[in-house]
Amino acid sequence: MDFLRPATWAEALEAKAERPGAVPVQGGTDVMVELNFDVRRPDALLDLNRVAALGEWSAEEDGRLRVGSGVTYARLIDELGDRLPGLAQAARTVGSPQIRNRGTVGGNLGAASPAGDGHPPLLAAGAEIEVESAARGVRMIPAGEFYLGVKRSALEADELIRAFWTRPAGGPQYFSKVGTRNAMVIAVCSFALALHPAERRAGTGVGSAAPTPRRAVAAEEFLAAELDWDTGRLDPGLPRRFGELAAEAASPIDDVRGTADYRRHAVAVLARRTLTWAWHDLWKEG
Ligand SMILES: Cc1cc2nc3c(=O)[nH]c(=O)nc-3n(C[C@H](O)[C@H](O)[C@H](O)COP(=O)(O)OP(=O)(O)OC[C@H]3O[C@@H](n4cnc5c(N)ncnc54)[C@H](O)[C@@H]3O)c2cc1C
């Protein structure tokens, strides 16, 4: 197995163009497990750790944050937790300190697992994924169009993930996850909510309850229409209905972590709770 170590982003793109079968490695917390268990045996690994630009994040002129695909969960929590609270909450639930010190949202996107914890907050915030190839240059892919199937994304064989772009939170954000224990656990299901009060709408992301992470679009439309953005009054039936609509967006399976019925129920509970927390935060802050 060849081990390719580009020093720059341009070299990395060239290497991926020449060897589309080369498997990129960032933190290696997914890739190394797959190699150890012989899930795949690629003819080349493309180590991105020398490409310093991937470990950087910046505030861009349009007000959005551009977060390099090599920024670890630990750094995201420390350096961006105040601006991306939903994603930081999700990051805190990933693995252990060791995994958070190596693992990245870029790698979560590359793996595109339906259970990846980074995906629901990216969907709820309306993030975009910046991908690039040597042949065709940069493509910006809305998170809602990135996930195509179980561990399948819109990334082409000659493309690499450069960064994700998202606005700093304009309102309360929450991520909540059900697992079979409190730490080091793959989500049985998860849910992210982002309130966008300036636009009088909310974004959602459902995790581990369908072949791909996905938005609960009808639930979002319900909130935009029904939330009382003028007085903050929250009719008790509203979070319940929101939960039902969020559960309807799921299409879960029975597996070792939980049944489809349980997952639907749990998504409804998580949606109801995150809405209640976020709405209270919004009105507490005035
Ligand atoms: C013990 C343990 C616990 C875990 N717990 C969790 C958890 O709680 N929640 C969770 O979501 N995940 C968890 N994971 C999975 C893993 O840590 C995450 O998916 C993590 O985000 C992967 O990031 P990474 O940088 O290590 O990716 P890598 O392993 O380096 O790569 C992952 C995938 O992305 C591709 N890739 C990496 N960088 C790029 C790039 N720039 N462009 C294109 N493709 C790229 C790789 O080829 C590979 O297919 C756990 C893993 C372990 C071993």
Side-chain angles (χ1 to χ4, degrees):
M1 187 186 302
D2 294 332
F3 192 66
L4 313 174
R5 294 200 77 203
T8 65
W9 180 239
E11 282 178 24
L13 293 176
E14 283 302 328
K16 193 68 172 126
E18 276 167 30
R19 309 272 301 260
V23 171
V25 184
Q26 189 63 62
T29 62
D30 276 318
V31 172
M32 296 314 293
V33 174
E34 287 183 0
L35 293 184
N36 285 343
F37 282 93
D38 238 348
V39 176
R40 58 175 157 177
R41 185 88 4 213
D43 62 15
L45 290 177
L46 178 61
D47 176 22
L48 298 173
N49 281 274
R50 285 173 70 203
V51 183
L54 298 182
E56 292 165 5
W57 62 265
S58 54
E60 296 295 317
E61 273 175 18
D62 68 358
R64 288 191 294 172
L65 295 166
R66 180 187 190 219
V67 184
S69 58
V71 174
T72 63
Y73 291 111
R75 285 187 50 214
L76 195 135
I77 294 164
D78 287 349
E79 299 169 27
L80 290 167
D82 55 342
R83 278 160 281 188
L84 304 176
L87 192 57
Q89 282 177 17
R92 283 188 200 96
T93 77
V94 173
S96 60
Q98 294 89 334
I99 298 294
R100 293 192 288 274
N101 280 335
R102 293 291 314 170
T104 61
V105 175
N108 218 220
L109 286 163
S113 161
D117 291 318
H119 312 309
L122 292 177
L123 287 166
E128 284 190 304
I129 322 302
E130 178 185 343
V131 307
E132 191 170 344
S133 64
R136 297 177 308 287
V138 173
R139 274 200 306 149
M140 298 296 285
I141 308 175
E145 296 168 22
F146 186 77
Y147 313 104
L148 297 186
V150 177
K151 299 193 176 180
R152 218 159 47 74
S153 74
L155 198 68
E156 300 287 348
D158 63 346
E159 286 178 322
L160 292 170
I161 301 167
R162 173 66 182 81
F164 67 87
W165 291 61
T166 188
R167 286 200 179 281
Q173 298 184 343
Y174 276 97
F175 170 83
S176 201
K177 164 176 169 180
V178 173
T180 49
R181 57 184 185 183
N182 277 341
M184 288 283 279
V185 69
I186 303 176
V188 173
C189 66
S190 65
F191 189 82
L193 177 75
L195 292 185
H196 305 290
E199 298 149 55
R200 296 190 163 212
R201 64 176 188 88
T204 59
V206 182
S208 212
T212 65
R214 55 169 66 160
R215 288 167 55 202
V217 176
E220 291 177 7
E221 287 168 359
F222 170 74
L223 287 191
E226 298 297 330
L227 276 173
D228 186 345
W229 298 95
D230 292 316
T231 70
R233 209 181 77 81
L234 190 64
D235 177 59
L238 194 146
R240 188 168 299 279
R241 180 66 191 137
F242 173 60
E244 287 167 4
L245 289 169
E248 282 172 23
S251 51
I253 53 166
D254 294 327
D255 69 8
V256 285
R257 297 200 299 280
T259 63
D261 280 351
Y262 175 74
R263 284 189 160 103
R264 257 186 231 100
H265 170 76
V267 166
V269 172
L270 296 181
R272 199 173 72 215
R273 285 187 189 158
T274 51
L275 174 62
T276 310
W277 297 330
W279 195 248
H280 284 158
D281 285 0
L282 182 66
W283 288 90
K284 187 178 69 200
E285 288 160 10

